[in-house]
Amino acid sequence: MKIAVIGAGIVGCAIAHALLDEGHEVLILDKEGPAFGPSRGNAGWMAHTDILPIASPKNLRQVPKFLLDPLGPLSIRPAYFPKLLPWLVRFVLAARPDAYERSIQGLAALQQLALPAWLARAESLSLSRHIHRQGGLYVFTDKAAFDEAGHVARRQAEFGIKVEMIGPEELSQFEPALKRRFAGAAFHPDTAHISDPLQLTLALFEAALARGAVFEKAEVSNISMGERPSLIGPDGWQRVVDRAVIAAGAWSKPLAAALGDAVPLDTERGYNVSFPGVTGLTSRPVGFEGHGFVMTPLESGLRIGGAVEFGGLKAAPNHARTRSLYDKAASLVDGLPPFESGTLWMGFRPSLPDSLPVIGEASRNRHVVYAFGHGHYGMTQSTATAGLVAASIAGRKPAIDLAPFSPRRF
């Protein structure tokens, strides 16, 4: 079949390969080009060990505290609050104990597919050099939070996730650049990180073209309800295909709405600062629990990023938030280069209230499949999602139950 993949980010590129494996003719469409969105500047973690949704009873209790700090881990631009309100209501509902548990089960199932899928894809395309398996650290300055992390580790162990709780002395041996301010850390030996998100996404894209995929720079503003979907652009441009996959990240919502699915997708604006050429400060990615940022030793340089800001797709970046992340990092890590020497970036994470992506057929046209809304885990879950999409299009039973990811679950 001729299948269009709308979106040339990491998820769309991964889906292109899964469809090429099946012998399909693949057309990749994107209004900007490959790796334009968060695939260009994310933190570079293969964070498949994360199984706890952001909408949790614990995080819900912390939201008022976070909102008091305009540069803290979570902020909502005042002008955007009315538009965000329906999403926030869904977030509160997703934090109820029963809903939270369902989200854990769905998220864990998808995460368990993630790393094996990535390793297989990277090997098949000779891209294994991009994946580094040095493990990952979540470090704690608060002793009570560190003690509580032991409960999380036990929950992770239920899903076969390896976690080692280490104390301050052992942590300083793991990463000498960390200041002696930490109560301990959770070490995930199976966590991986990548050489650079942009370079990996471009490599995946170029490999798809080499295998026969075709790219066209075009905006899709509507999709017909016909047996063979017609993709329609705002200027009258049109392409007819046998199947279409919507993997346009934060820009997917209008297309889903036109196909009968009111998906509560919004965008988390994430910030980072990268220091090209700065390598060797840490040997593995480090997440700073309670401080809202992570630090990743990419081959292209050190990257510090994180935080969540709700402000939509049009508001200008507020890099005072980036400076705040850097200042926190400088208080916890020795040897950081000056902030002014870094490259600033802001991107849009496609976010759903329950931390699960949408994977499944459109309500008004079963020949259109959704694959968007991966939030913080687009890089991690891209190849696993690709396999699920390919199975769905082929009419095969997917590797996991897709009910938790249904566009009609809301």
Side-chain angles (χ1 to χ4, degrees):
M1 292 185 291
K2 182 173 183 177
I3 304 178
V5 179
I6 304 169
I10 191 69
V11 175
C13 289
I15 290 170
H17 282 283
L19 297 175
L20 289 166
D21 291 345
E22 306 269 337
H24 298 299
E25 180 184 346
V26 177
L27 171 65
I28 305 172
L29 301 168
D30 195 288
K31 64 180 180 179
E32 299 291 348
F36 174 75
S39 300
R40 176 177 297 268
N42 67 67
W45 285 48
M46 295 288 184
H48 68 287
T49 58
D50 289 0
I51 60 165
L52 299 184
I54 296 174
S56 70
K58 175 187 172 183
N59 286 341
L60 200 60
R61 291 192 297 269
Q62 293 180 316
V63 165
K65 180 186 72 173
F66 290 153
L67 292 179
L68 290 174
D69 181 359
L71 299 180
L74 169 65
S75 72
I76 302 172
R77 294 205 176 185
Y80 196 70
F81 185 85
K83 188 172 182 179
L84 185 65
L85 191 57
W87 189 98
L88 292 172
V89 171
R90 293 287 185 183
F91 183 83
V92 171
L93 294 174
R96 293 176 299 173
D98 289 349
Y100 178 60
E101 182 60 33
R102 287 195 298 271
S103 295
I104 290 175
Q105 296 297 326
L107 182 57
L110 184 55
Q111 296 286 59
Q112 286 177 312
L113 299 178
L115 186 59
W118 252 117
L119 295 176
R121 177 59 66 201
E123 183 176 3
S124 73
L125 299 176
S126 300
L127 297 176
S128 298
R129 67 187 182 280
H130 286 278
I131 301 177
H132 306 282
R133 304 189 67 184
Q134 305 297 323
L137 284 167
Y138 291 87
V139 297
F140 298 81
T141 53
D142 183 81
K143 179 66 165 58
F146 175 61
D147 292 340
E148 185 180 344
H151 299 293
V152 176
R154 286 188 286 275
R155 190 68 203 271
Q156 290 172 315
E158 295 175 13
F159 296 97
I161 298 168
K162 297 178 182 178
V163 190
E164 300 171 14
M165 306 305 294
I166 61 176
E169 294 302 320
E170 190 174 1
L171 176 59
S172 66
Q173 295 173 13
F174 266 68
E175 299 295 349
L178 299 181
K179 295 181 184 289
R180 296 298 187 98
R181 293 187 52 190
F182 296 95
F187 175 58
H188 295 264
D190 292 335
T191 292
H193 69 282
I194 61 174
S195 55
D196 180 87
L198 174 60
Q199 294 306 317
L200 179 57
T201 305
L202 291 177
L204 207 61
F205 174 78
E206 295 294 340
L209 299 188
R211 296 182 65 195
V214 173
F215 172 72
E216 191 168 346
K217 188 173 182 180
E219 180 179 358
V220 178
S221 57
N222 203 357
I223 301 177
S224 74
M225 307 302 168
E227 183 77 12
R228 298 188 72 225
S230 178
L231 313 182
I232 304 164
D235 56 356
W237 169 95
Q238 194 169 158
R239 294 288 181 274
V240 178
V241 294
D242 298 300
R243 298 286 188 275
V245 181
I246 298 176
W251 292 267
S252 301
K253 186 174 180 176
L255 291 174
L259 290 162
D261 295 297
V263 178
L265 180 73
D266 214 290
T267 176
E268 297 180 26
R269 298 152 60 92
Y271 291 83
N272 70 44
V273 56
S274 299
F275 299 96
V278 176
T279 59
L281 192 64
T282 64
S283 57
R284 55 183 59 81
V286 181
F288 294 80
E289 291 293 319
H291 298 280
F293 73 94
V294 300
M295 187 167 66
T296 312
L298 304 175
E299 284 185 5
S300 55
L302 183 69
R303 178 163 293 167
I304 299 168
V308 171
E309 178 190 53
F310 288 98
L313 293 167
K314 297 180 180 180
N318 175 15
H319 281 297
R321 297 184 60 76
T322 319
R323 179 69 201 227
S324 178
L325 292 174
Y326 172 86
D327 290 342
K328 289 179 183 178
S331 72
L332 297 169
V333 183
D334 287 321
L336 290 183
F339 177 75
E340 291 72 20
S341 66
T343 301
L344 305 181
W345 183 84
M346 187 272 288
F348 303 103
R349 306 183 192 103
S351 178
L352 288 157
D354 58 4
S355 297
L356 300 179
V358 169
I359 306 172
E361 295 176 355
S363 292
R364 293 180 181 166
N365 193 334
R366 64 184 182 85
H367 298 305
V368 179
V369 176
Y370 300 137
F372 61 82
H374 294 77
H376 293 250
Y377 303 114
M379 181 70 67
T380 300
Q381 297 171 352
S382 55
T383 50
T385 297
L388 298 172
V389 168
S392 177
I393 289 175
R396 295 192 305 270
K397 182 179 179 180
I400 60 175
D401 181 11
L402 293 186
F405 312 101
S406 169
R408 290 164 287 282
R409 70 184 186 267
F410 300 103

